[in-house]
Amino acid sequence: MLPLLFAAEELDHWASFFRQVPLDIFFAALFENLQIDTRYISEEADQLLQTSAIVTHLESAWQQISPACILANSSFFPVKELERESEWLARAYQLLEHYGRTRDKEVAFQDYTAVCLLSADGRLLEVWFYLEFEDWMTAESGGPGMKIYFHYPEGSLFAYRYYF
């Protein structure tokens, strides 16, 4: 799990700490660090962290860092005037090209409708790429599009979700 969360220079520190302290203390420190250090937590890492939280009885600490839990409990609202909106959209589209499915990548930037939404607490920015359909009843399930979430205002990737 640690290689999913940390680069090589940090990995040695966490691996050494893991060998030196009891499991519950290790995960308490890890969850506390992940609350402060805004970094991308993949779905795979989140699932492993959840299992670790259950085993060590630290579920509430995990819920505070889990992208799935945070997004489930967040409300997003349109942003009237987002500073550097074109930069956010360009960066989000680059991530769509990197993490997107084939059908997401096949759509050109200018063919997507893009919307920026800010979380109620102002800590997350959602960039939503979707296609306009004339008739939603005939639209294919699993169509192209993504929602990309950034830590706001610093801009690091928080999570991404496929549309549909």
Side-chain angles (χ1 to χ4, degrees), residues 75-99:
S75 299
F76 289 86
F77 301 96
V79 182
K80 288 183 182 180
E81 291 183 30
L82 179 64
E83 195 173 309
R84 302 180 353 258
E85 182 173 354
S86 61
E87 292 175 32
W88 287 108
L89 293 173
R91 183 147 187 274
Y93 189 74
Q94 287 176 337
L95 292 170
L96 181 145
E97 289 182 320
H98 181 74
Y99 292 110

Side-chain angles (χ1 to χ4, degrees), residues 50-123:
Q50 180 185 18
T51 301
S52 302
I54 291 168
V55 169
T56 58
H57 306 287
L58 294 168
E59 292 97 335
S60 64
W62 165 76
Q63 290 173 352
Q64 293 176 22
I65 64 157
S66 168
C69 291
I70 292 169
L71 291 175
N73 294 308
S74 294
S75 299
F76 289 86
F77 301 96
V79 182
K80 288 183 182 180
E81 291 183 30
L82 179 64
E83 195 173 309
R84 302 180 353 258
E85 182 173 354
S86 61
E87 292 175 32
W88 287 108
L89 293 173
R91 183 147 187 274
Y93 189 74
Q94 287 176 337
L95 292 170
L96 181 145
E97 289 182 320
H98 181 74
Y99 292 110
R101 302 164 295 187
T102 302
R103 63 180 159 255
D104 304 319
K105 297 174 187 181
E106 290 173 344
V107 178
F109 177 79
Q110 62 272 15
D111 294 335
Y112 274 116
T113 298
V115 176
C116 293
L117 305 168
L118 193 61
S119 64
D121 63 5
R123 295 178 4 176

